[in-house]
Amino acid sequence: MSLDETGLIRFLSSVHPYDSLEPALLNALAPKFRQIQAAAGDPVYALNEELEGLYLVHSGEVEVTDENGILVSILGPRNSFGERGLTRSGRAVTSAQATADTLLLLLPKADFHALMAEHAQIAKFFDRRRPGSREGSSLATTRVEAIMARDPVTCAGTLTCQSAAQLMRNHFISSVCVTDGDRLQGILTTRDLTGKILAAGKPISTPVCNVMTPEPLTLAPSAIGSDVLHMMMEHGIGHIPVTEGGKLVGIVTQTDLTRFQAVSSGEMVSAIASADTAADMAKVTSEIPRLLVQLVASGNRHEVVTRLITDIADTATRRLLALAEEKLGPPPVPYLWLACGSQGRREQTGVSDQDNCLILSDQLAPGDEAYFEQLAGFVCDGLNTCGYVYCPGEMMASNPRWRQPLGVWREYFRGWIAKPNPEAQMLASVMFDLRPIGGDAAFFEDLQRETLAAARANSIFTAHMISNSLKHTPPLGLLRGLATIRSGEHRNTLDMKHNGVVPVVDLGRIYALQGELADVNTRARLEAAEASGVLSHTGAQDLLDAYDLIAQTRLEHQAAQIRAGQAPDNYLAPSSLSDFERSHLRDAFVVVKTMQSAVGHGKGMLG
């Protein structure tokens, strides 16, 4: 049954993003949609077919499959499809078929592109490609919520000035917010106490409400750093309460501004490089969560944030190696300390353990092992002190298995490639992400080159590695939803590590094996895979965009937790996202699943 114009407009006004259009624009747009009746089993379009336009399901059901016939989505009323192909080459990157009697609304591609060009909110919704980073990464452009101190110290207006002064002294602060419940009434500063009590000769028993600045200037959490600077300079004040909906949620002081500007990865690296003990380094690394918040709030891309955070871990490792040599004396033979896991890939976030190993010279004498046992123990213990906790699987140089001469490492990799049993696949996945940190890097260059060549030449090993990589799947529900964890502590959340970034990390590793690519960073691997022809241009760009969105969402989740005073983790509740954000995140997961399907069928290309 077809729709009349009134019914069509009413339907479109209930569908995002058309509901954001002015009524006159919606009325003009509605007649451009073509209505298509499809019976169960009718194809809508096929893979690589030139798309007629954007499809919108009014009623019925449509099944979307990838190039290998793997079911990607089951779409119902109000779901759009075809936009990814339209915003790329104009050709379908999936196949679609009606599975019930269905009424489709088709917006011709010329009208779709015109709508995208004329309305930013429409373009933002349908163009799922990686957005450009916000310009600048300075205090002036950072949101107040990333700068402010949360849970500020408060008191009632009836408190005496003496008690308020003691409160400030005990908390090492220079102001206290005066509240009635959670409502801000005023602010009292040490300057008020000096000028209005001591200098005026008033008794210290004077109530705070008689001295405070009532109804002080405030800002919202959504304000930016330049708002703080301008308000402080214009009004000659050093404390600004932050309120939301009339409720006190934080405070920004000149000290907060100074502290914010003082936290930089460069200064942290410098402080660690000159530290004398692991405890001294730990004081610096304890600031990493605040650095993460600052970097994310300043609009830095995820690969920049994780690279800067990883640089701190690299510096701590090298400094601990130097301190170990000072304590133990020069090493008896050359060695190389390597990182694997997220540090090896330069992808550390606010949640990282340590994964490392030692390659020793083949000139190692029987008595030399004791030296490297002590060195490895010193460094691993020091990293643990710095917050890089011991690896639960003991993938550390302190484990003798991962502290061996170069010849033994060659045999390790040869054995894993020749007999890729489950343990070999797991170990190879970790060890293919090795990156030299300190020592003689020449040990690794030949080993890496030999191993990549041997891995590529062994199709059975590569097939096993592909199979192992597909064990981590994106959290997709078939009915246009996201599959959350069903039980336990993290029920109703998405694991943004194991089901989010790890599937892409695994794909990047497979492409590196297929192309003998030396890169270990995931984004660099995807770019190198495109450049070498392992991935098509379209496939690479789709996967890069998907990875960027998933990784950025994970980082923003961790930054929000830190701002709220919580320990960062990888478990994101979809309910915390807007419909727009959920839709884009799901589309990113669909891209990853499609690329997994392609590599699982021996293609590695999507284009």
Side-chain angles (χ1 to χ4, degrees):
M1 178 179 175
S2 61
L3 296 169
D4 59 23
E5 187 170 327
T6 301
L8 178 57
I9 293 171
R10 185 184 305 115
F11 176 72
L12 289 175
S13 66
S14 71
V15 179
H16 192 66
Y18 308 107
D19 58 358
S20 65
L21 296 174
E22 295 293 331
L25 292 172
L26 191 60
N27 291 343
L29 178 67
K32 297 178 180 179
F33 279 89
R34 196 167 86 230
Q35 299 185 38
I36 301 173
Q37 298 282 353
D42 285 353
V44 179
Y45 60 70
L47 179 72
N48 290 325
E49 186 177 292
E50 188 77 24
L51 288 165
E52 294 184 58
L54 178 74
Y55 293 88
L56 173 62
V57 181
H58 175 270
S59 59
E61 187 177 87
V62 173
E63 185 178 274
V64 178
T65 55
D66 66 16
E67 63 174 334
N68 299 302
I70 304 298
L71 182 62
V72 172
S73 293
I74 298 175
L75 307 180
R78 293 182 172 79
N79 288 154
S80 297
F81 59 103
E83 65 270 20
R84 189 151 62 93
L86 286 172
T87 56
R88 293 292 189 188
S89 62
R91 294 186 175 276
V93 295
T94 56
S95 297
Q97 174 180 287
T99 54
D101 290 343
T102 300
L103 175 59
L104 295 172
L105 305 178
L106 173 68
L107 181 63
K109 60 182 177 182
D111 296 310
F112 170 72
H113 288 301
L115 190 66
M116 292 264 287
E118 295 168 8
H119 301 283
Q121 72 271 32
I122 303 292
K124 183 179 180 183
F125 183 80
F126 285 118
D127 191 347
R128 309 301 168 91
R129 289 171 292 187
R130 184 188 201 197
S133 178
R134 297 193 301 273
E135 288 300 319
S137 57
S138 67
L139 170 65
T141 57
T142 299
R143 286 168 64 102
V144 164
E145 64 182 355
I147 306 170
M148 71 183 190
R150 294 176 180 270
D151 301 320
V153 177
T154 63
C155 73
T158 56
L159 192 71
T160 67
C161 284
Q162 181 182 29
S163 297
Q166 292 170 341
L167 193 62
M168 292 187 219
R169 178 198 63 192
N170 294 341
H171 286 85
F172 303 99
I173 55 177
S174 56
S175 68
V176 61
C177 292
V178 184
T179 57
D180 180 8
D182 57 8
R183 299 282 167 173
L184 179 68
Q185 290 186 317
I187 187 170
L188 180 74
T189 68
T190 53
R191 188 166 65 175
D192 293 326
L193 294 175
T194 301
K196 298 177 183 179
I197 296 295
L198 294 179
K202 290 184 178 181
I204 57 177
S205 59
T206 301
V208 164
C209 60
N210 293 349
V211 183
M212 71 181 188
T213 300
E215 300 181 2
L217 294 169
T218 64
L219 287 171
S222 58
I224 58 176
S226 60
D227 297 329
V228 177
L229 292 168
H230 295 165
M231 186 176 285
M232 286 183 173
M233 294 175 70
E234 180 180 354
H235 299 280
I237 56 178
H239 308 77
I240 301 177
V242 182
T243 59
E244 189 168 33
K247 297 180 180 180
L248 179 69
V249 295
I251 189 168
V252 180
T253 69
Q254 290 176 334
T255 302
D256 293 320
L257 300 184
T258 302
R259 185 184 297 118
F260 181 90
Q261 291 174 305
V263 177
S264 74
S265 60
E267 293 188 359
M268 293 173 73
V269 163
S270 177
I272 290 173
S274 60
D276 292 324
T277 66
D280 290 338
M281 294 182 216
K283 294 175 184 176
V284 181
T285 56
S286 67
E287 295 292 328
I288 288 177
R290 197 148 57 87
L291 175 66
L292 185 148
V293 169
Q294 177 177 323
L295 291 171
V296 172
S298 298
N300 290 283
R301 297 186 189 276
H302 70 92
E303 69 269 26
V304 174
V305 177
T306 56
R307 172 65 180 268
L308 293 176
I309 289 175
T310 304
D311 284 348
I312 295 170
D314 290 354
T315 304
T317 304
R318 284 190 287 268
R319 182 57 183 157
L320 286 166
L321 286 169
L323 292 174
E325 290 189 20
E326 287 179 16
K327 177 182 178 181
L328 302 172
V333 295
Y335 69 88
L336 176 62
W337 185 283
L338 304 99
C340 44
S342 60
Q343 185 184 357
R345 296 190 305 273
R346 288 191 167 113
E347 293 167 7
Q348 287 189 316
T349 66
V351 186
S352 296
D353 58 6
Q354 57 173 292
D355 299 283
N356 46 61
C357 63
L358 261 178
I359 297 179
L360 309 176
S361 167
D362 284 330
Q363 303 304 313
L364 188 75
D368 295 340
E369 164 58 22
Y371 176 94
F372 291 106
E373 179 182 3
Q374 294 180 68
L375 180 137
F378 182 94
V379 175
C380 291
D381 290 345
L383 289 172
N384 185 68
T385 298
C386 291
Y388 305 103
V389 298
Y390 298 120
C391 173
E394 296 191 359
M395 300 286 289
M396 299 177 293
S398 54
N399 181 343
R401 187 179 184 186
W402 310 124
R403 186 178 68 246
Q404 293 292 332
L406 177 59
V408 174
W409 280 100
R410 281 198 167 94
E411 289 305 314
Y412 280 168
F413 279 101
R414 287 171 184 160
W416 294 334
I417 293 170
K419 297 181 179 180
N421 57 42
E423 183 192 33
Q425 295 169 41
M426 183 274 292
L427 293 175
S429 294
V430 174
M431 294 303 178
F432 272 113
D433 294 348
L434 286 173
R435 181 172 60 87
I437 302 297
D440 190 345
F443 285 154
F444 184 63
E445 293 169 2
D446 289 341
L447 176 63
Q448 184 187 42
R449 186 165 47 251
E450 293 167 9
T451 301
L452 286 172
R456 184 182 185 184
N458 190 320
S459 58
I460 295 176
F461 172 76
T462 302
H464 278 287
M465 288 293 288
I466 289 173
S467 177
N468 185 64
S469 73
L470 300 180
K471 292 177 181 177
H472 295 111
T473 58
L476 287 169
L478 289 179
L479 298 177
R480 197 66 180 178
L482 295 167
T484 58
I485 297 171
R486 295 183 178 180
S487 61
E489 178 185 358
H490 303 297
R491 184 172 179 266
N492 295 329
T493 65
L494 304 172
D495 186 339
M496 293 298 289
K497 178 181 178 180
H498 293 102
N499 300 115
V501 297
V502 167
V504 188
V505 169
D506 288 343
L507 283 172
R509 190 181 300 114
I510 295 302
Y511 300 144
L513 292 178
Q514 292 175 332
E516 293 186 46
L517 308 174
D519 302 273
V520 292
N521 174 264
T522 299
R523 205 168 198 285
R525 278 173 165 169
L526 299 182
E527 291 171 343
E530 178 187 4
S532 64
V534 173
L535 270 178
S536 70
H537 173 72
T538 302
Q541 290 306 305
D542 278 350
L543 189 53
L544 282 166
D545 288 342
Y547 177 56
D548 289 336
L549 179 60
I550 295 166
Q552 197 72 36
T553 300
R554 177 193 183 202
L555 269 188
E556 289 172 355
H557 163 66
Q558 292 186 359
Q561 288 181 304
I562 295 167
R563 287 198 302 269
Q566 303 168 3
D569 62 27
N570 293 298
Y571 300 98
L572 171 68
S575 58
S576 68
L577 302 175
S578 67
D579 288 345
F580 172 83
E581 290 169 327
R582 282 196 297 273
S583 175
H584 277 234
L585 186 59
R586 189 185 188 283
D587 282 351
F589 289 141
V590 167
V591 170
V592 177
K593 182 177 180 180
T594 302
M595 298 301 286
Q596 284 186 322
S597 176
V599 77
H601 284 76
K603 297 177 182 177
M605 293 188 124
L606 182 68

